[in-house]
């Protein structure tokens, strides 16, 4: 069952306000009423209205000024203006300022009903269009969740199994392996797919900022909190919240997150009342949470709450058979972007890509292909279009029998990386390496790179 539409009514005439309240309540809307524009602004954050119906002529602050302030705070909130002083000039001024529509007093009950229905239908269509655009973006992003190796097939099966459930899922994998893509795939295939998907990077924010982002805050709870604000967990109500890098949160936040999972409620920073939230939690980490629990850095009870089902993502270097598939996908995405069309890759360049170790995983591979497409003057990616670190990667087959690289191999890799870091500047690279420029050139000639 969908939530009732929230409407904020503003009019300094108590009789008109009560009439509007009765009309809107009979329509099944959740109604908040106030007799002044300033009071309406104080209520705005907590009321979080879908629609504001306001009189224009009011003391202290009029409806047009209220409209302008609402547009600043939340442009998606629709506003209908009412006035007993109906005139074309007032109507035009209101519409120009961003009002949805305008109605003169005295109004017929049916007129206000129809106008409110039209406004809410307009908002619904806009939201559906926005959701569609987001879903299309998600599908484009999900394209990088590709692979046909047994490990990736196992991942797909797990996604399919957990998507239709409400269980909490822990996604583990190195940076760049596609943890958020897995979370989005679970959400997109779940019963919550038409509800919000909210992603939070827990590793990039300080504790106090992360707490405010997750749980929201009340007005005056800290310096700069000029109004109440919903947290991301509240915004994800009825949907999915993806907590990336969960291993980085502090013990205090771990306790608060445990309460969310146990009690299905939150408290805003500076708030005293509990707010119920219906949200599915998906978490991800590139750390070993079990070891963090053993070290006393992560709560054991939270770990078991998160670790109901675990999806482990393999490193790209562990599934080199998938690299050609990913490369062709990235060429399709990025190869048609500019005036120059890039449609393929040479076998030699593909060989270099498949033998590289990819410390940055799929994300690094995509950036490498995008860079090559920008730099190549051809319609096909060639070896020289790839970064030097990829060009000079040592084929495991060429290493010595005991698995160790030779000193010559290590020197070559180091020199080529320094040269790449300094954009091919021989003088600067030689200085960093601590050798004469002529020595560097001699080595490059030996490598066939001079």
């Amino acid at each position: 069952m969908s939530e009732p539409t929230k409407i904020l009514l503003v009019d300094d005439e108590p009789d008109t306000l009560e009439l509007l309240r009765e009309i809107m309540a009979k329509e099944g809307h959740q109604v908040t009423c106030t007799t002044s524009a300033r009071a309406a602004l104080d209520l705005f954050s907590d009321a979080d209205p879908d629609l504001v119906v306001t009189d224009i002529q009011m003391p202290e602050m009029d409806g047009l000024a209220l409209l302008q302030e609402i547009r600043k705070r939340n442009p998606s909130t629709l506003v209908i203006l009412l006035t007993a002083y109906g005139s074309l000039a007032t109507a035009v001024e209101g519409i120009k300022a961003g009002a949805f529509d305008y109605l003169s007093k005295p109004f017929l009950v049916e007129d206000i009903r129809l106008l409110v229905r039209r406004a809410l239908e307009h908002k619904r269509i806009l939201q559906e269009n926005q959701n569609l655009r987001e879903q299309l973006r998600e599908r484009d992003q999900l394209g990088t969740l590709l692979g046909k190796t047994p490990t990736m097939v196992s991942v797909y099966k797990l996604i399919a199994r957990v998507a239709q459930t409400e269980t909490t899922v822990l996604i583990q994998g190195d940076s760049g392996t596609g943890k958020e893509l897995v979370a989005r795939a679970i959400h997109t295939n779940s019963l919550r797919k038409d509800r919000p998907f909210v992603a939070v990077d827990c590793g990039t924010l300080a504790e106090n900022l992360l707490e405010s982002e997750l749980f929201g805050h009340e007005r005056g709870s800290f310096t700069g909190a000029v109004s109440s604000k919903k947290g991301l967990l509240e915004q994800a109500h009825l949907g999915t919240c993806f907590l990336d890098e969960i291993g980085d949160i502090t013990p205090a936040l771990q306790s608060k997150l445990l309460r969310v999972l146990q009690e299905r409620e939150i408290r805003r920073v500076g708030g005293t009342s509990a707010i119920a939230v219906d949200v599915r939690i998906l978490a991800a980490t590139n750390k070993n949470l079990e070891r963090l629990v053993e070290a006393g850095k992560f709560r054991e009870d939270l770990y078991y709450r998160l670790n109901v089902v675990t999806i482990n993502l393999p490193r790209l270097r562990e599934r080199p058979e998938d690299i050609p598939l990913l490369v062709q996908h990235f060429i399709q995405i990025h190869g048609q972007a500019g005036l120059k069309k890039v449609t393929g890759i040479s076998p030699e360049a593909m060989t270099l890509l498949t033998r590289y170790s990819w410390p940055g995983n799929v994300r690094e591979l995509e950036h490498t292909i995008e860079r090559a497409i920008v730099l190549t003057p051809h319609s096909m990616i060639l070896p020289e279009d790839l970064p030097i670190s990829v060009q000079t990667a040592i084929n495991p087959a060429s290493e010595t029998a005991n698995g160790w690289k030779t000193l010559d191999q290590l020197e070559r890799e180091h020199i080529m990386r320094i040269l790449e870091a300094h954009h091919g500047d021989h003088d600067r690279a030689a200085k960093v390496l601590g050798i004469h420029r002529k020595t560097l050139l001699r080595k490059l000639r030996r490598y066939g790179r001079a």
Side-chain angles (χ1 to χ4, degrees):
M1 183 176 176
S2 60
E3 292 183 310
T5 305
K6 291 178 279 188
I7 298 180
L8 176 60
L9 304 174
V10 191
D11 200 309
D12 62 333
E13 297 177 1
D15 291 343
T16 304
L17 194 62
E18 178 59 23
L19 174 62
L20 286 168
R21 189 197 66 75
E22 288 181 6
I23 295 169
M24 296 301 106
K26 284 180 181 177
E27 291 283 292
H29 304 305
Q30 181 179 318
V31 183
T32 303
C33 299
T34 182
T35 56
S36 80
R38 294 201 183 280
L41 288 177
D42 291 338
L43 290 168
F44 186 76
S45 293
D46 290 331
D48 189 26
D50 299 290
L51 174 68
V52 176
V53 180
T54 178
D55 189 22
I56 290 182
Q57 299 296 332
M58 291 183 290
E60 293 186 13
M61 182 180 190
D62 66 18
L64 291 178
L66 174 61
L67 165 66
Q68 290 168 348
E69 187 59 35
I70 287 172
R71 296 286 296 169
K72 289 179 188 175
R73 296 191 182 190
N74 189 352
S76 68
T77 302
L78 300 184
V79 179
I80 292 174
L81 299 173
L82 303 174
T83 181
Y85 305 91
S87 71
L88 181 61
T90 310
V92 170
E93 189 177 356
I95 298 299
K96 280 185 176 178
F100 174 75
D101 212 334
Y102 169 93
L103 193 63
S104 296
K105 295 180 180 179
F107 52 79
L108 296 175
V109 170
E110 191 58 25
D111 286 345
I112 188 69
R113 272 204 194 106
L114 290 175
L115 184 54
V116 167
R117 287 175 188 172
R118 189 159 59 84
L120 295 175
E121 177 65 12
H122 176 76
K123 185 177 179 69
R124 185 188 66 79
I125 291 170
L126 288 178
Q127 187 60 54
E128 282 183 356
N129 288 338
Q130 178 65 24
N131 290 341
L132 179 60
R133 285 194 294 271
E134 289 175 0
Q135 287 171 20
L136 289 172
R137 280 199 297 271
E138 284 175 7
R139 286 171 191 166
D140 288 342
Q141 291 172 326
L142 290 174
T144 58
L145 196 62
L146 295 172
K148 55 187 178 182
T149 54
T151 51
M152 287 307 295
V153 171
S154 297
V155 169
Y156 303 148
K157 287 180 179 178
L158 267 176
I159 290 172
R161 287 171 186 164
V162 301
Q164 294 296 311
T165 72
E166 288 292 298
T167 190
T168 303
V169 179
L170 179 64
I171 306 163
Q172 296 189 133
D174 286 359
S175 178
T177 50
K179 297 187 289 294
E180 184 171 343
L181 296 178
V182 170
R184 286 186 179 275
I186 292 171
H187 172 77
T188 303
N189 292 280
S190 74
L191 299 176
R192 297 173 180 258
K193 63 183 178 181
D194 296 323
R195 298 295 184 170
F197 176 88
V198 177
V200 188
D201 188 344
C202 301
T204 59
L205 296 172
E207 179 182 3
N208 59 332
L209 292 176
L210 179 58
E211 182 179 9
S212 175
E213 283 294 303
L214 278 175
F215 298 96
H217 60 255
E218 299 292 354
R219 185 174 61 174
S221 56
F222 54 84
T223 303
V226 295
S227 62
S228 297
K229 178 187 173 185
K230 276 187 178 183
L232 294 174
L233 286 167
E234 257 185 283
Q235 292 177 32
H237 181 60
L238 300 179
T240 304
C241 187
F242 172 57
L243 302 176
D244 198 7
E245 304 307 341
I246 192 73
D248 292 337
I249 66 173
T250 62
L253 279 180
Q254 290 173 29
S255 299
K256 293 190 174 184
L257 184 57
L258 181 63
R259 171 177 288 180
V260 175
L261 291 167
Q262 289 176 334
E263 308 297 334
R264 296 294 172 179
E265 63 181 30
I266 59 134
R267 280 188 174 85
R268 292 178 181 173
V269 176
T272 55
S273 60
I275 301 171
V277 290
D278 176 5
V279 59
R280 183 183 190 179
I281 300 293
L282 305 176
T285 181
N286 60 9
K287 295 182 177 179
N288 188 319
L289 290 188
E290 202 167 353
R291 288 182 184 173
L292 291 180
V293 169
E294 291 171 359
K297 295 180 180 179
F298 200 87
R299 291 183 63 118
E300 186 175 23
D301 46 5
L302 177 58
Y303 171 65
Y304 287 119
R305 280 279 182 177
L306 295 172
N307 192 31
V308 179
V309 175
T310 300
I311 296 177
N312 291 298
L313 292 180
R315 300 179 180 94
L316 184 57
R317 61 179 172 271
E318 294 169 355
R319 52 184 187 109
E321 304 95 325
D322 288 336
I323 289 175
L325 187 66
L326 288 161
V327 169
Q328 292 300 334
H329 175 72
F330 294 137
I331 289 174
Q332 287 177 3
I333 290 176
H334 302 293
Q336 309 297 316
L339 296 175
K340 175 186 61 184
K341 307 301 180 187
V342 177
T343 57
I345 182 169
S346 72
E348 296 79 10
M350 184 67 83
T351 298
L352 292 174
L353 293 173
T354 54
R355 79 182 190 188
Y356 184 60
S357 63
W358 299 109
N361 293 293
V362 178
R363 186 185 299 131
E364 183 187 3
L365 175 61
E366 180 172 12
H367 291 165
T368 297
I369 297 303
E370 188 175 7
R371 171 188 182 275
I373 287 170
V374 170
L375 295 179
T376 185
H378 311 288
S379 61
M380 178 176 288
I381 297 173
L382 301 177
E384 55 264 33
D385 302 318
L386 301 174
I388 293 176
S389 56
V390 176
Q391 292 182 43
T392 58
I394 300 298
N395 190 329
S398 69
E399 295 181 14
T400 55
N402 60 12
W404 294 97
K405 295 178 182 178
T406 65
L407 188 60
D408 187 59
Q409 289 170 337
L410 290 171
E411 180 189 70
R412 172 177 171 165
E413 287 183 12
H414 182 60
I415 287 174
M416 299 311 290
R417 286 196 178 104
I418 295 296
L419 193 62
E420 180 180 12
H422 292 85
H423 309 291
D425 188 320
H426 293 161
D427 291 327
R428 292 173 65 190
K431 187 174 181 180
V432 171
L433 290 164
I435 60 177
H436 196 277
R437 185 175 184 275
K438 289 183 179 179
T439 303
L440 173 61
L441 290 173
R442 188 170 64 250
K443 289 180 179 294
L444 291 176
R445 279 194 295 271
R446 195 173 80 218
Y447 304 150
R449 302 297 303 172

